[in-house]
């Protein structure tokens, strides 16, 4: 589900970044996306649960449209709304540290972080926001988030970019980071778009990367 029209964070591998930021979506526009999907699926709350999970991972940075997104997620979880369980609503962020702390104070939802690199030099190149909130500060915020509620893990999203962040040394660096916070990793094969300089990592490279993480007891999906 999208939270904004466009995005101003300029992550280098993201298609949305190429169009810049236009505006924030209203609460009704955010809920409307989930409602439309639920209707399309034939979802009936508490009876036919066809819509089981919502992830704020569409266009935009959800934490930059904080109030509208929090209200929308509250409606998604309300018995008179979409009736979703707290853990089945996930907010995905590029890593706005102060807003992660604020989210932890007001909303009981799952948290996903767009990491995409295991060291600051590479992450700053891919995700410019890292210059303001480097990896250590981000992981500290994630740890604080998990400490607010029992049995919480953070999902770290990692887009696999050919020859950029997909080498064995990157996987080993990532293992060290994942030991600092209760976590699981979602490896996402890059989806090319017109004009991008990046390519998708080869399947065998992605699986080898995954194996290094799994062998180190880091739960990793592709």
């Amino acid at each position: 589900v999208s939270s904004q029209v466009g995005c101003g964070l300029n992550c280098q591998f993201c298609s949305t970044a190429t169009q810049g930021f236009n505006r924030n979506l209203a609460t009704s526009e955010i809920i409307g996306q989930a409602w439309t999907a639920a209707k399309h699926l034939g979802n009936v709350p508490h009876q036919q649960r066809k819509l089981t999970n919502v992830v704020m991972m569409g266009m935009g940075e959800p934490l930059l449209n904080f109030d509208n997104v929090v209200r929308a997620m509250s409606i998604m979880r309300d018995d008179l709304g979409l009736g979703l369980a707290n853990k089945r609503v996930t907010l995905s962020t590029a890593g706005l540290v102060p807003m992660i702390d604020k989210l932890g104070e007001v909303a009981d939802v799952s948290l996903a972080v767009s990491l995409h690199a295991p060291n600051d030099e590479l992450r700053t190149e891919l995700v410019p926001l890292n210059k303001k909130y480097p990896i250590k500060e981000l992981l500290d915020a994630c740890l604080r988030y998990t400490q607010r509620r029992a049995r919480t893990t953070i999902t770290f999203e990692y887009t696999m970019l050919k020859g950029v962040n997909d080498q064995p040394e990157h996987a080993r660096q990532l293992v060290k980071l994942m030991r600092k916070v209760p976590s699981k990793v979602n490896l996402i094969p890059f989806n090319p778009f017109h004009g991008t300089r990046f390519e998708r990592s080869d399947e065998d490279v992605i699986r080898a990367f995954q194996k290094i993480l799994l062998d180190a007891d880091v739960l990793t999906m592709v």
Side-chain angles (χ1 to χ4, degrees):
V1 171
S2 295
S3 56
Q4 298 178 315
V5 180
C7 185
L9 292 186
N10 200 29
C11 297
Q12 293 300 292
F13 52 87
C14 180
S15 176
T16 305
T18 62
Q19 71 183 69
F21 174 71
N22 187 295
R23 67 177 178 86
N24 284 329
L25 293 178
T27 302
S28 58
E29 292 174 306
I30 296 168
I31 280 292
Q33 296 169 70
W35 184 86
T36 301
K39 187 180 179 187
H40 177 75
L41 291 168
N43 188 80
V44 181
H46 308 302
Q47 295 175 43
Q48 277 186 289
R49 286 186 175 275
K50 299 288 183 71
L51 187 76
T52 58
N53 295 66
V54 173
V55 188
M56 297 300 308
M57 196 188 173
M59 208 177 261
E61 165 54 58
L63 293 181
L64 287 176
N65 187 14
F66 190 86
D67 292 343
N68 288 326
V69 166
V70 167
R71 274 195 294 268
M73 292 191 303
S74 178
I75 294 169
M76 291 172 192
R77 288 148 48 225
D78 195 284
D79 284 346
L80 296 176
L82 290 174
L84 294 171
N86 288 354
K87 285 200 169 186
R88 291 187 175 274
V89 177
T90 302
L91 183 143
S92 172
T93 177
L96 281 94
V97 167
M99 304 309 286
I100 291 173
D101 287 325
K102 189 176 177 185
L103 181 70
E105 293 169 6
V106 301
D108 185 10
V109 295
S110 297
L111 183 67
V113 172
S114 294
L115 190 64
H116 310 299
N119 61 70
D120 280 323
E121 183 180 5
L122 182 55
R123 189 166 192 265
T124 298
E125 180 188 330
L126 297 174
V127 184
L129 183 67
N130 193 72
K131 201 167 186 178
K132 190 169 187 180
Y133 304 115
I135 291 173
K136 185 185 183 307
E137 288 183 32
L138 177 56
L139 292 182
D140 286 347
C142 290
L143 187 58
R144 289 192 295 273
Y145 196 88
T146 63
Q147 288 169 343
R148 290 180 179 274
R149 44 191 65 82
R151 299 183 302 281
T152 297
T153 58
I154 309 292
T155 299
F156 288 93
E157 293 144 357
Y158 195 100
T159 300
M160 299 296 289
L161 304 168
K162 188 172 186 175
V164 176
N165 65 353
D166 61 355
Q167 298 304 298
E169 62 263 29
H170 296 129
R172 288 189 285 270
Q173 289 172 19
L174 188 57
V175 166
K176 290 180 182 176
L177 293 183
M178 295 301 98
R179 289 187 176 136
K180 297 177 182 180
V181 59
S183 57
K184 56 187 173 185
V185 174
N186 184 17
L187 301 178
I188 305 171
F190 176 64
N191 200 20
F193 54 91
H194 181 71
T196 183
R197 61 187 169 93
F198 297 108
E199 296 177 51
R200 177 183 301 186
S201 301
D202 295 334
E203 178 72 18
D204 59 337
V205 171
I206 294 172
R207 293 299 171 183
F209 195 98
Q210 180 190 28
K211 187 176 186 302
I212 292 172
L213 290 159
L214 290 173
D215 288 347
D217 295 324
V218 177
L219 180 61
T220 308
M221 306 155 286
V222 177

